[in-house]
């Protein structure tokens, strides 16, 4: 399971440079992996950073003292105790286009790709970062770098940090297969979040829930779970949060689900539709993350051209520019939002309509052709519906 705990991220009890790291409980798994070339990674607790990486000794890494530290999610600085500048984040945000409509609740969208600048670590107490159009540098040592935060883990256990930025959500009217519910509009994502690098696997589902419902159980433990309803998925997120001692984001009463704290909840949750498309595009404006020519999908997606009527193990195609796998194809992915046509006005951290009949699913699946895998394409299903090409991946807000 991709729990964000010590056993996944290598944690050290202290960094060099004269400033002790915050007190962190270190288990044997971490101790065994402690001699690493450190990179400062944001923990999910305010004011704490973890050190992880490959190569030399952890003495090469320097972090701040846990409160106002300047080391960001880039290379570690020489960090004294609360001195120096915060990191700077810069890069390009994604802009994108796409189109499509739902089929049987299993419609498909496409992913975008792109790139964002990485923040450089400072040396202790943070100064003020500067942002480019996509990545955003923040003060108080809260640098943000796009990409996996635990790249040493197995791909199905990795988490990707997605940094703030702006992008064009939806598709232009002249894009082939543009859908009427895809009005192009500017969206600003103001806060970093974590997104699972792959879709939830059958093995991960079984660790939390009672049984695996998948049609393609024979595909194996590392194949995406499918045949899971939106209601079951939010229950999974709550159960996983409970197992980890995190707050449960959702209040579930039958099929009535509320999200009281919204993006302020730091437990496991579904991504919003805007978060999903932003992460999928990863800085691109093309129909798919790999480009404007559908032939590029063979390298990044399992779909009707190459899937041979079945799902496939997650993470076996290439990731997008931010380290996310299977954002196109394999299985559709539930997101939080109710379905409705977009408003063409710009939005900030949208979470969708307050009510509706259908929940959105994105990304396309193994049975669909390329038009359904566009980044902007939208599908929708009733919250209790299950489909053999419909799964999900969880997200978490970064405090």
């Amino acid at each position: 399971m991709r729990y964000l705990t010590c056993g996944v991220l290598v944690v050290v009890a202290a960094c060099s440079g004269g400033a002790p790291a915050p007190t962190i409980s270190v288990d044997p798994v971490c101790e065994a992996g402690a001699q690493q070339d450190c990179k400062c990674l944001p923990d999910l607790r305010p004011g704490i950073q973890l050190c992880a990486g490959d190569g030399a000794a952890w003495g090469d890494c320097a972090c701040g003292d846990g409160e106002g530290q300047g080391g960001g999610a880039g290379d570690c600085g020489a960090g004294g105790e609360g001195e120096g500048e915060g990191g700077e984040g810069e890069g390009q945000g994604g802009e994108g286009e796409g189109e499509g409509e739902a089929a049987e609740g299993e419609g498909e969208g496409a992913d975008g790709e792109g790139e964002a600048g990485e923040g450089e670590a400072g040396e202790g107490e943070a100064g003020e970062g500067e942002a480019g159009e996509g990545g955003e540098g923040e003060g108080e040592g809260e640098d943000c770098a796009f990409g996996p935060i635990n790249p040493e883990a197995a791909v199905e256990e990795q988490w990707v940090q997605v940094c703030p930025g702006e992008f064009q959500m939806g598709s232009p009217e002249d894009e082939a297969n543009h859908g009427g519910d895809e009005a192009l509009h500017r969206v600003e994502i103001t806060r970093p979040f974590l997104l699972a690098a792959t879709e939830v696997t059958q093995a991960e589902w079984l660790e939390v829930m009672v049984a695996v419902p998948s049609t393609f159980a024979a595909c194996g433990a590392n194949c995406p779970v499918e045949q899971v309803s939106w209601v079951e998925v939010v229950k999974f997120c709550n159960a996983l949060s409970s197992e980890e001692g995190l707050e449960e984001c959702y209040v579930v009463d039958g099929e009535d689900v509320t999200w009281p704290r919204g993006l302020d909840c730091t437990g496991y949750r579904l991504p919003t539709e805007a978060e999903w498309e932003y992460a999928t595009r990863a800085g691109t404006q093309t129909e798919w993350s790999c480009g404007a020519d559908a032939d590029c999908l063979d390298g990044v997606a399992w779909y009707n051209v190459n899937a041979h009527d079945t799902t496939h193990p997650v993470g076996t195609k290439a990731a997008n520019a931010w380290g996310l796998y299977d954002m196109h194809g394999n299985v559709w992915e539930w997101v939080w939002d109710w379905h409705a046509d977009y408003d063409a006005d710009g939005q900030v951290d949208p979470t969708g309509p307050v009510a509706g009949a259908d929940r959105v699913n994105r990304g396309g699946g193994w049975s669909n052709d390329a038009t359904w895998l566009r980044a902007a394409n939208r599908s929708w299903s009733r919250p209790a519906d299950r489909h053999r090409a419909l799964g999900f991946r969880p997200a978490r807000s970064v405090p």
Side-chain angles (χ1 to χ4, degrees), residues 248-387:
E248 297 182 6
C249 289
Y250 303 118
V251 176
V252 184
D253 181 11
E255 291 188 18
D256 183 18
V257 178
T258 57
W259 185 16
R261 290 196 351 104
L263 295 171
D264 289 330
C265 179
T266 56
Y268 293 96
R269 61 175 176 83
L270 285 173
T272 65
E273 187 174 15
E275 287 175 332
W276 188 94
E277 186 170 328
Y278 177 57
T280 294
R281 291 190 176 283
T284 63
Q285 304 178 61
T286 49
E287 288 92 333
W288 303 280
S289 66
C290 51
D293 186 340
D295 288 345
C296 72
L297 285 171
D298 189 56
V300 301
W302 294 110
Y303 65 123
N304 70 341
V305 171
N306 59 15
H308 306 296
D309 298 322
T310 184
T311 57
H312 291 264
V314 300
T316 51
K317 291 290 187 178
N320 73 5
W322 292 350
L324 294 159
Y325 297 85
D326 300 315
M327 298 298 283
H328 303 282
N330 218 357
V331 293
W332 289 87
E333 299 179 16
W334 287 111
V335 296
W336 162 256
D337 302 41
W338 292 106
H339 177 261
D341 290 355
Y342 294 144
D343 188 325
D345 294 336
Q347 298 181 34
V348 177
D349 296 327
T351 56
V354 296
D358 301 297
R359 295 285 184 175
V360 175
N361 39 82
R362 290 295 216 110
W366 53 267
S367 63
N368 302 112
D369 67 33
T371 61
W372 296 98
L373 273 66
R374 294 175 308 106
N377 188 52
R378 310 173 72 199
S379 178
W380 52 92
S381 303
R382 294 299 169 94
D385 285 354
R386 299 182 184 92
H387 301 290

Side-chain angles (χ1 to χ4, degrees), residues 132-196:
E133 276 187 26
E136 187 169 304
E138 303 179 14
E140 303 300 326
E142 293 177 2
D143 269 323
C144 189
F146 292 86
I149 65 170
N150 56 334
E152 74 287 347
V155 65
E156 68 273 11
E157 295 178 352
Q158 290 179 14
W159 286 85
V160 168
Q161 179 166 253
V162 181
C163 300
E166 294 184 355
F167 76 112
Q168 291 286 343
M169 186 173 182
S171 65
E173 293 182 2
D174 61 356
E175 181 173 301
N177 300 298
H178 166 82
D181 60 348
E182 296 175 16
L184 194 64
H185 60 291
R186 192 80 174 168
V187 170
E188 182 180 0
I189 302 294
T190 68
R191 50 205 300 170
F193 63 95
L194 300 176
L195 191 61

Side-chain angles (χ1 to χ4, degrees), residues 204-216:
E204 289 179 307
W205 181 269
L206 188 58
E207 286 186 32
V208 178
M209 308 301 274
V210 175
V212 174
S214 298
T215 297
F216 299 104

